Every structure is written in C-alpha cells, then in structure tokens.
C-alpha cells in the first residue's frame, strides 16, 4: 500500500463514510499528508503504531511552522481521527491509542466571538463528536444561533414541519411572538446534513433535534459540546451558545444593518434591548463580517 492509497482511503472514509463537507475533507487530508511526510509512516500498520511522543513532536513542529491556536486545535482533531482510523484498519484496539491534548493557551480578557471563532467552533464541534450524526446535529444548532440569530430554545423548538428549510423561517420567540428570519445556504445545508444522518425519523410534530436516546435535545448538551470546542480553541468562558446570537447581531450592525431591522430579526420587544449593539466598533466588524460570515462557499 502506498501513501496515495492511504490518503485515498482516508478521503473516501471522510467524504462517503462520514459525509464530511468538502472543506473538512481537504483540511483533514492535508493534516494526514503532513503527518505521513514528517513521520515516514506511509501504511496503515506503521501509522497505527505511532505513539504519543511522535505525535506530540509532529504537532510541535507544526506550531513552529506558524500554525495559529485555532488551526492547531483543528489539526489535532484531524490527526486524532486519522490515527484512530489507522488503528481500525490495522485491527488494533482503541484502548491503546495515543492520548493527546491541545497546547496550553493563555486565556485573554473576555472578548466577543468573531466570525472566524464562530465558524471554527462549529467545525470543531462536528469533528470532536463521537458519532457523525451527533456532530452534524450540534453543528447545525450552532449555525442556527450564529447564522440566523436564534435563541437556543428557539433552535431546539424546531420540529419536522419546519423541514426542508427555505430562504426564510418563521420563529416563535419570547412572549409567543413570531418573526421571520432569513436562512443562509450554509445553515440550510447544515440542517439538511443532520436530518440525513439522524438515526431518528423526522416526524412532523416531534422535535427536529434529538438526543442520543431519541428525546428532544436539551440545551445542556449543546452547551457542553461548545464548551469542549471553546477550550480547545483557547476562547474565553464568555464564548457560549448565546454569545453566538449576540455575535450575529453585532456583526450585522457593523455591516450596516439598521436598528429597527435588527430588532425584528432578534425578536426584541423594545428597541432599547437592541441598542446595546451600537457600542461595537462598526468599522472592525464590517471587515470581519465581509471576510468570514457563514455563507455558501465555493468548495
């Protein structure tokens, strides 16, 4: 078996077996290719035998290449998945797999979740989940919060009747008030992927997002998934699911949205609740919003 064969098998497993997005497949293949080149392990047997020290050494060299904190966390997730797959191909038990942790990252002052942080969290949550459908589920929920500005309770209240998502969605918020929010392609695709992978049938009057036992998904499970990703990325404790909704609002305001429109999108009862977002540096947010807000990408 050649290096090309290994990478082809890995790519097929990600794209077809785990139904990862093209963006994720490219990133995970790149991480695997670098690991093979730097360790010399070019078949499943040798890759399965890589130990903790070797993997740590590889990650250390990647840090010296100038890899950012977020990129290091994502590459660590990719390498762990790749080595786990190698051990499965070689017939080795999971118990003996190398144990790796991300680098210690000094926590800074609390800061808003940037567009890059939001997309990195969503991608990492998907990659860290033990089951494919769970990863797709958590990613879909988080993108509903950031890409559509939903409250977590609003996202979890969606049911089968809401599928397939269109360009807009009717949301019932606090005080039983209904509003219409736009749904961008990236969010629609994430929800559709979850629905396709879910082991539970999508029924009209039942919760769309389900827990592992089939009941409605609880907010606590989404919070735990985001907390794991937040720690891996070195983000502050303020980076919670609800912070994604706040980020949706601040980024839109910085991009030129008016307060009245923003009030309607968020479902605020009074304009005063929306005016807090005027304190954000609009110029900075405009640049980051244009560069990285979730949207349909050319994969």
């Amino acid at each position: 078996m050649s290096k090309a064969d290994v990478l082809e098998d890995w790519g097929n497993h990600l794209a077809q077996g785990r139904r990862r997005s093209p963006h994720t497949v490219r990133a995970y293949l790149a991480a695997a290719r670098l690991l093979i080149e730097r360790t010399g392990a070019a078949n499943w047997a040798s890759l399965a035998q890589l130990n903790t020290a070797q993997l740590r050494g590889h990650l250390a060299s990647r840090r010296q290449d100038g890899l950012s904190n977020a990129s290091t966390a994502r590459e660590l997730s990719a390498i762990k998945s790749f080595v786990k797959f190698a051990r499965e191909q070689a017939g080795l038990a999971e118990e003996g797999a190398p144990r790796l942790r991300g680098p210690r990252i000094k926590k800074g002052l609390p800061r808003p979740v940037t567009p890059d942080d939001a997309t990195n969290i969503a991608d990492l949550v998907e990659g860290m989940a033990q089951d494919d459908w769970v990863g797709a589920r958590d990613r879909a929920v988080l993108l509903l919060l950031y890409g559509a500005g939903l409250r977590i309770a609003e996202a979890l209240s969606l049911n089968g009747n809401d599928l397939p998502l269109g360009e807009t969605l009717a949301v019932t918020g606090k005080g039983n008030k209904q509003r219409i929010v736009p749904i961008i392609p990236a969010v629609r695709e994430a929800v559709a992927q979850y629905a396709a992978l879910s082991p539970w049938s999508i029924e009209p009057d039942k919760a769309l997002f389900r827990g592992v036992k089939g009941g409605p998904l609880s907010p606590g499970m989404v919070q735990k998934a985001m907390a794991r990703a937040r720690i891996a990325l070195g983000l502050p404790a303020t980076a919670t699911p609800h912070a994604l909704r706040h980020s949706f609002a601040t980024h839109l305001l910085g991009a030129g949205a008016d307060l009245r429109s923003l009030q309607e999108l968020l479902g605020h009862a009074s304009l005063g609740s929306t005016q807090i977002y005027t304190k954000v540096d609009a110029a900075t947010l405009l640049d980051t919003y244009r560069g990285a807000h979730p949207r349909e990408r050319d994969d």
Side-chain angles (χ1 to χ4, degrees):
M1 172 173 280
S2 67
K3 166 186 169 182
D5 293 329
V6 167
L7 292 173
E8 182 179 3
D9 288 350
W10 177 229
N12 289 336
H13 169 71
L14 292 168
Q16 300 171 17
R18 304 201 67 181
R19 301 186 66 173
R20 298 300 195 196
S21 69
H23 173 75
T24 299
V25 172
R26 284 197 299 270
Y28 276 40
L29 276 172
R33 186 178 293 108
L34 282 171
L35 181 66
I36 290 171
E37 291 173 353
R38 294 199 175 187
T39 62
N43 56 56
W44 294 127
S46 57
L47 286 164
Q49 293 296 335
L50 290 176
N51 57 40
T52 302
Q54 289 172 300
L55 295 178
R56 282 177 177 166
H58 171 67
L59 286 171
S61 68
R62 292 290 290 135
R63 292 285 287 178
Q64 292 175 354
D65 289 341
L67 214 61
S68 68
N69 292 341
S71 296
T72 298
R74 294 183 68 178
E75 185 151 332
L76 172 60
S77 179
I79 288 173
K80 288 170 71 173
S81 296
F82 181 51
V83 172
K84 178 182 178 183
F85 182 67
R87 292 181 67 84
E88 290 172 355
Q89 298 302 106
L92 297 181
E94 185 177 343
E95 289 75 14
R99 295 185 178 277
L100 292 171
R101 290 185 178 181
R104 289 181 176 272
I105 303 173
K106 183 178 180 181
K107 292 185 178 181
L109 295 174
R111 60 187 185 273
V113 176
T114 68
D116 280 339
D117 289 339
T119 51
N120 282 331
I121 286 170
D123 288 344
L124 193 57
V125 159
E126 180 183 28
M128 294 175 74
Q130 292 187 350
D131 296 311
D132 296 344
W133 76 272
V134 171
R137 177 199 69 190
D138 293 344
R139 182 173 188 272
V141 172
L142 295 180
L143 287 184
L144 278 167
L145 307 188
Y146 179 62
L150 270 59
R151 300 177 176 92
I152 190 168
E154 293 169 347
L156 298 186
S157 70
L158 299 181
N159 59 37
N161 283 321
D162 295 306
L163 294 188
L165 292 182
E167 293 185 357
T168 60
L169 175 67
V171 178
T172 302
K174 289 183 177 180
N176 208 32
K177 292 183 178 180
Q178 193 173 77
R179 67 187 190 277
I180 304 298
V181 298
I183 303 297
I184 59 177
V187 176
R188 295 201 297 270
E189 291 165 8
V191 173
Q193 182 182 24
Y194 157 69
L197 291 177
S198 175
W200 311 104
S201 60
I202 306 298
E203 300 181 30
D205 297 322
K206 288 194 174 182
L208 171 61
F209 296 108
R210 313 278 278 276
V212 294
K213 295 183 179 180
L217 179 63
S218 70
M221 298 308 296
V222 180
Q223 291 163 350
K224 287 180 180 178
M226 183 160 174
R228 288 194 294 269
R230 179 187 73 220
I231 292 170
L233 292 170
L235 299 177
T238 52
T240 63
H242 195 64
L244 295 178
R245 171 175 152 87
H246 286 311
S247 298
F248 163 84
T250 53
H251 298 161
L252 281 182
L253 184 64
D258 63 272
L259 282 176
R260 286 294 180 186
S261 297
L262 193 57
Q263 178 187 2
E264 291 181 10
L265 285 174
L266 293 172
H268 284 161
S270 69
L271 188 62
S273 298
T274 313
Q275 287 175 332
I276 187 174
Y277 299 110
T278 60
K279 298 179 180 179
V280 179
D281 183 344
T284 300
L285 285 172
L286 181 59
D287 290 337
T288 55
Y289 174 89
R290 285 175 173 169
H293 194 278
R295 61 184 179 275
E296 190 171 21
R297 298 177 187 272
D298 295 326
D299 288 323

